[in-house]
Amino acid sequence: MSSSEERKLILKSSDNEEFVVKESSAVQCLTIKNLVEDRCVSDPIPLANVDSKILALVIEFMEKHAETTLSNSEKKEFDVEFVKKPFDDLLELILAANYLDFRELMDVLCNTCAKQMENWSVEEVREKFNIQNDYTVEEEKAARAENPWAFE
Amino acid sequence: MADWADLPMDILVVIAQSLTLIEDFTSFTAVCKEWKSVTSILKKKPSLPTRYPRIMLAEKIDTEDQENRGDQDASVRCFLNLLASKTYQLQLPEASGRNCRGAHYGWLWTIGIDLQINLLHPFSRQQICLPPMLTFPDQYEYDETFKPQEVWDFFVRKIAMSSNPRKEKSSHDYNEDCTIVAIYGEFAILAFTKLGDTVWTNISVHSRVYQDIIFYNGKFYAVDVHGVVVVCDFDDANGPIATIIAPAPVETSDLYQKYLVESSGHLLLVSRLRKGLLFDDDDDDDDEDDNDDDDDVEEEDDVNDEEEGDDNEDDKGDVDGDDNVDEVEDAEDIDKEEEKKARYYTTGFSVLRLDECHEEGNNYAYRLTEVTSLGDQALFLGSNVSTSIASSECIKPNCIYFTDDNCELYLNEPGGGGHDMGIFNMEDGTIQLNYAGESRSYISPPLWCI
């Protein structure tokens, strides 16, 4: 029997494209790891919520972070370049990371979102995140009074 | 097509936990009600630094118009933004009656008559206990008439930290890798502890009367009253030791308080020049001299009974935030009278830079070079960890923002310390007030919260 490092898995995106990945890389996604441990691995593993474009990116990240020869700082450099994508693409990646339960990718993406938000006003955040302000005028005033630091 | 507005709550929580500044965190809660509810999931406000420093004003213990506030007042502390245009009030009973000094990363440290030393984050109100005052190795000689409770407010002069004491993504634990170095005791020597330790341990030093410490490039550096800079080595076989890395500056005086700060990638040695009744006389008035520490202590005995509570002269009402300061005014215009009465006030700063020195035959690792401009940086000096910050809409470049940190002399000053603060312009040597009101205290005058 071959060692787990050599075992491969086939992942299928929602638009039916198949990707071959090493099992040792793929188990960074807890969803996949649980399938493997429970011996519920079908061949290929269907990922109904992730299309091929996003799955390719997830796999790129996954394989980079599974490489034992890379130092932490090299991985961080990769992360910095990896997240240089249009903001809306990050949403798809976050949802995929959530679905796959891929903690490391999730942290990197959420960090990036947080950094972006640091440059935006409250109104801009609402715009980018497509959020309706559901505070009344009084409630907003009260919020400002309670947390004055934000509103210089 | 997915919509950002549909982000599940647990992802919002991760994003909220990734925010690095308080301002961003509170902006987050202002976006909408669902986002605000994220913070209740987090249970505690995070102990984050702020984007810009703020001044924490002295405690306002005021006998006027307190009928409706009652005891609440002692638990509220006022903060001022840099332009002195807004004041904020925070519930901070943890600071009441205690000596507060700025530290770093948004933290303060406090010491009280209970001799307990704590790190305190004013926004989250998280506290981390440090080993208490009596665990420092070198204590005064106490007896029945001279107790530790007489020296608590100046026993520890300053502390510096090697990293943020807060553990990433957890508001409960602290960072066990955080090392803290303190200047303490009768002779202002150095000691260190790590978060979680129960005692302070001495660092072996050649001289006494250290005045500033910082953490720079992975090491702790300290400067003494003569301007001699040392670096601390914790790995020496004989125990922690401080070694000299630069000669004392040629033109300086022990009367000039020394600071060390990193700015634009270099270590700077800053001297603070003061004048006043105490400085115009003879050698006896050298407030940094060892002997004077004893004199001050004796004075403490007499004044101690009054110090503890209600004799602080209060500000003239500006703290309520009604008076906006659109323009800062020259110290000279307002306070000529004050200057005549003040025991001490700052007249200027001089800055030297430590440059690495690899020349043959040189005894020291660094030499000192005069600096006439800080570039786009501003220095924040006082009881806090000396810090350099890039200029912005509320921070002027090439300036030194300073507060009153002459803690041994607060009791000597009518009304308490806190008057000696302002903004020094490196270019023209002028000093402007950064706060037109008065905020004085015998224990804990205004400080930078950075």
Side-chain angles (χ1 to χ4, degrees):
Chain A
M1 192 154 108
S2 54
S3 66
S4 61
E5 275 78 63
E6 294 162 359
R7 240 187 271 151
K8 303 263 199 300
L9 295 175
I10 303 177
L11 305 178
K12 190 165 85 167
S13 68
S14 57
D15 48 344
N16 289 327
E17 200 173 317
E18 292 187 356
F19 297 81
V20 178
V21 294
K22 291 188 215 158
E23 183 184 291
S24 54
S25 307
V27 294
Q28 288 178 92
C29 302
L30 290 183
T31 311
I32 297 178
K33 183 171 188 234
N34 289 338
L35 285 174
V36 168
E37 285 177 352
D38 292 347
R39 299 181 184 284
C40 292
V41 178
S42 55
D43 213 8
I45 301 176
L47 301 173
N49 288 4
V50 189
D51 70 27
S52 52
K53 171 181 153 210
I54 296 298
L55 188 53
L57 290 172
V58 172
I59 290 173
E60 184 193 345
F61 186 95
M62 182 195 285
E63 291 184 332
K64 205 69 172 189
H65 277 251
E67 263 176 63
T68 47
T69 52
L70 283 185
S71 68
N72 276 336
S73 52
E74 283 169 320
K75 287 182 185 172
K76 282 211 165 75
E77 276 176 33
F78 166 81
D79 292 347
V80 167
E81 290 305 311
F82 184 81
V83 297
K84 284 183 182 167
K85 292 178 171 39
F87 191 64
D88 288 333
D89 282 6
L90 296 179
L91 172 61
E92 307 258 7
L93 279 166
I94 287 181
L95 292 173
N98 194 38
Y99 171 72
L100 293 168
D101 203 351
F102 190 173
R103 188 75 211 194
E104 234 178 302
L105 176 57
M106 178 70 92
D107 283 349
V108 167
L109 293 168
C110 287
N111 246 312
T112 309
C113 281
K115 281 207 181 72
Q116 291 277 32
M117 285 166 56
E118 283 171 14
N119 298 325
W120 295 333
S121 67
V122 174
E123 286 74 23
E124 279 172 311
V125 170
R126 287 185 189 132
E127 202 189 296
K128 297 274 181 183
F129 282 79
N130 201 13
I131 291 181
Q132 289 285 33
N133 179 12
D134 56 352
Y135 282 115
T136 64
V137 174
E138 291 81 29
E139 283 168 338
E140 197 155 353
K141 259 193 208 159
R144 279 169 197 257
E146 188 184 309
N147 283 315
W149 303 98
F151 302 102
E152 296 258 286
Chain B
M1 186 65 190
D3 191 337
W4 281 106
D6 298 328
L7 266 188
M9 182 65 88
D10 47 354
I11 298 184
L12 282 176
V13 169
V14 180
I15 296 180
Q17 288 176 320
S18 308
L19 295 168
T20 56
L21 297 173
I22 288 180
E23 288 92 334
D24 301 319
F25 185 82
T26 50
S27 292
F28 185 95
T29 63
V31 168
C32 64
K33 290 183 186 174
E34 190 195 7
W35 285 38
K36 184 170 203 287
S37 67
V38 166
T39 55
S40 53
I41 292 177
L42 291 179
K43 291 199 184 95
K44 278 191 193 180
K45 290 177 181 172
S47 301
L48 295 172
T50 51
R51 180 172 281 123
Y52 301 122
R54 280 158 174 85
I55 301 176
M56 182 168 104
L57 294 176
E59 226 171 331
K60 188 180 179 189
I61 303 168
D62 191 19
T63 47
E64 302 169 33
D65 66 82
Q66 291 314 304
E67 281 141 16
N68 36 349
R69 290 202 217 170
D71 279 347
Q72 263 231 337
D73 199 55
S75 64
V76 169
R77 216 48 189 255
C78 281
F79 288 75
L80 198 60
N81 71 344
L82 270 183
L83 298 173
S85 55
K86 282 187 191 164
T87 49
Y88 311 108
Q89 297 207 329
L90 290 190
Q91 279 288 326
L92 206 57
E94 294 87 350
S96 180
R98 297 174 76 79
N99 189 340
C100 300
R101 309 272 176 88
H104 207 192
Y105 305 106
W107 290 82
L108 311 174
W109 63 274
T110 73
I111 183 170
I113 199 162
D114 56 2
L115 310 184
Q116 298 300 311
I117 308 176
N118 300 322
L119 291 176
L120 169 64
H121 195 279
F123 179 72
S124 66
R125 289 173 63 183
Q126 188 185 357
Q127 290 202 83
I128 299 176
C129 291
L130 298 179
M133 187 183 111
L134 291 175
T135 64
F136 279 99
D138 292 18
Q139 299 282 331
Y140 284 87
E141 308 237 341
Y142 306 118
D143 57 36
E144 288 102 37
T145 55
F146 178 45
K147 297 201 165 63
Q149 282 74 14
E150 323 240 350
V151 302
W152 66 272
D153 50 338
F154 55 84
F155 190 83
V156 183
R157 313 296 172 90
K158 216 161 200 188
I159 71 167
M161 305 190 277
S162 63
S163 58
N164 193 325
R166 164 184 168 258
K167 205 165 187 172
E168 288 273 306
K169 293 210 160 74
S170 164
S171 51
H172 303 284
D173 296 327
Y174 49 75
N175 181 355
E176 286 126 8
D177 290 330
C178 180
T179 304
I180 303 191
V181 173
I183 300 175
Y184 82 98
E186 192 175 353
F187 303 113
I189 53 177
L190 304 178
F192 79 97
T193 189
K194 284 185 90 112
L195 287 190
D197 280 0
T198 51
V199 295
W200 294 87
T201 307
N202 271 346
I203 297 175
S204 187
V205 290
H206 298 284
S207 72
R208 296 166 162 185
V209 196
Y210 286 87
Q211 295 196 321
D212 203 1
I213 358 159
I214 60 162
F215 188 73
Y216 164 66
N217 244 358
K219 300 201 172 134
F220 283 96
Y221 292 80
V223 62
D224 70 14
V225 64
H226 312 300
V228 174
V229 180
V230 298
V231 66
C232 299
D233 178 6
F234 291 93
D235 299 323
D236 191 284
N238 297 324
I241 183 166
T243 40
I244 300 177
I245 58 167
V250 173
E251 286 174 16
T252 189
S253 158
D254 289 1
L255 291 179
Y256 303 159
Q257 185 160 349
K258 309 292 187 300
Y259 299 86
L260 272 183
V261 58
E262 177 201 348
S263 184
S264 304
H266 288 103
L267 205 50
L268 301 181
L269 169 57
V270 183
S271 298
R272 179 172 180 166
L273 287 61
R274 287 195 177 94
K275 289 214 167 116
L277 296 176
L278 282 173
F279 290 83
D280 295 340
D281 292 335
D282 293 339
D283 298 343
D284 287 346
D285 290 324
D286 182 355
D287 57 281
E288 295 307 336
D289 206 86
D290 289 353
N291 296 332
D292 271 359
D293 288 353
D294 297 329
D295 291 341
D296 283 350
V297 165
E298 280 159 28
E299 269 181 66
E300 251 71 275
D301 291 349
D302 299 328
V303 187
N304 217 30
D305 295 329
E306 298 163 27
E307 159 203 324
E308 277 301 318
D310 17 48
D311 285 357
N312 294 339
E313 262 187 30
D314 285 297
D315 38 279
K316 311 287 194 281
D318 289 349
V319 180
D320 292 331
D322 291 329
D323 297 350
N324 287 333
V325 181
D326 292 329
E327 292 168 357
V328 289
E329 294 145 302
D330 273 3
E332 283 179 10
D333 289 342
I334 287 188
D335 281 334
K336 267 208 170 87
E337 291 284 81
E338 187 82 16
E339 274 179 24
K340 283 181 195 155
K341 290 184 209 158
R343 301 287 194 274
Y344 61 92
Y345 57 91
T346 299
T347 54
F349 291 84
S350 74
V351 181
L352 295 169
R353 188 181 64 222
L354 275 77
D355 289 326
E356 277 190 45
C357 195
H358 300 293
E359 291 155 14
E360 287 289 321
N362 203 300
N363 290 333
Y364 300 106
Y366 290 84
R367 62 165 189 275
L368 299 169
T369 317
E370 197 188 336
V371 165
T372 48
S373 170
L374 299 168
D376 74 332
Q377 298 284 315
L379 304 184
F380 285 79
L381 306 180
S383 62
N384 51 293
V385 171
S386 309
T387 307
S388 176
I389 302 182
S391 62
S392 66
E393 61 266 357
C394 55
I395 297 180
K396 300 184 212 185
N398 205 18
C399 283
I400 299 181
Y401 288 71
F402 61 93
T403 55
D404 190 342
D405 59 355
N406 213 340
C407 63
E408 287 160 19
L409 299 181
Y410 297 154
L411 290 173
N412 296 0
E413 194 64 38
H419 59 292
D420 189 20
M421 63 180 191
I423 310 173
F424 173 77
N425 188 323
M426 286 282 287
E427 200 168 313
D428 59 14
T430 57
I431 294 184
Q432 292 176 325
L433 287 183
N434 57 347
Y435 175 55
E438 265 222 343
S439 180
R440 311 278 286 253
S441 168
Y442 291 108
I443 307 172
S444 198
L447 53 91
W448 293 120
C449 187
I450 297 183

